[in-house]
Amino acid sequence: MFKFKYLPQYFLALLLLILLFLEGWTWYLGTTGVTFKRYLSAEVPPYVQEISLRRYKAAHSPHLFTMAVDANNEEKLINWLVGRCHMQRVSPDVLPASLTKVDDEMVEVIRKSPVIYMTTDPKQRFCLLFRDKEKYYLYLEGDLEKR
């Protein structure tokens, strides 16, 4: 039966259960698929074979998605992402200087990339699509503040 002398332990157990639930919920919200859906308002396309996520500790809470795609579906992925993020093809000369503050190595890969798409409208979320020899990268800034 319920005993009042154990009330502090019951309260502590309830708080621990709430803490575990919130910890699990936070982990779930940080998974790659959920983060992709939150920023692009769409599920990961089915032709993306593998996707991973890297978060940076910098202004605008940037995220870098790494995607592996079959050679037959590369054009589909590019068209889908360009339409979703309202990007345009650009040259490496127009890259914002703020990218070097986030990751110098990423900027070097971008400059060597044969494919570079970027949002040019400051009212849109900043997106940058580029690739290396084997994977595509989608760089997103988390907030909508101006760069």
Side-chain angles (χ1 to χ4, degrees), residues 17-29:
L17 286 174
I18 292 171
L19 180 66
L20 285 174
F21 170 76
L22 291 175
E23 188 73 28
W25 183 250
T26 304
W27 173 84
Y28 171 72
L29 289 177

Side-chain angles (χ1 to χ4, degrees), residues 57-123:
K57 293 194 185 259
H60 305 294
S61 62
H63 294 71
L64 181 68
F65 291 95
T66 305
M67 296 174 274
V69 176
D70 191 20
N72 302 340
N73 295 322
E74 288 180 355
E75 196 65 34
K76 272 190 196 175
L77 177 69
I78 291 172
N79 291 336
W80 188 82
L81 287 171
V82 165
R84 201 90 186 134
C85 293
H86 310 289
M87 294 187 279
Q88 296 176 353
R89 191 167 190 150
V90 295
S91 68
D93 303 333
V94 298
L95 293 175
S98 62
L99 289 176
T100 57
K101 295 177 184 174
V102 176
D103 189 355
D104 289 331
E105 184 180 331
M106 178 181 69
V107 173
E108 289 176 23
V109 173
I110 294 170
R111 293 197 188 281
K112 295 176 186 175
S113 175
V115 175
I116 303 172
Y117 290 91
M118 183 176 79
T119 53
T120 54
D121 184 10
K123 294 180 183 175

Side-chain angles (χ1 to χ4, degrees), residues 9-51:
Q9 286 90 345
Y10 293 140
F11 183 69
L12 181 61
L14 177 67
L15 288 177
L16 285 173
L17 286 174
I18 292 171
L19 180 66
L20 285 174
F21 170 76
L22 291 175
E23 188 73 28
W25 183 250
T26 304
W27 173 84
Y28 171 72
L29 289 177
T31 57
T32 304
V34 174
T35 304
F36 190 87
K37 185 175 181 180
R38 189 172 65 230
Y39 285 127
L40 293 174
S41 302
E43 297 288 337
V44 178
Y47 40 82
V48 173
Q49 297 172 341
E50 178 185 329
I51 187 167

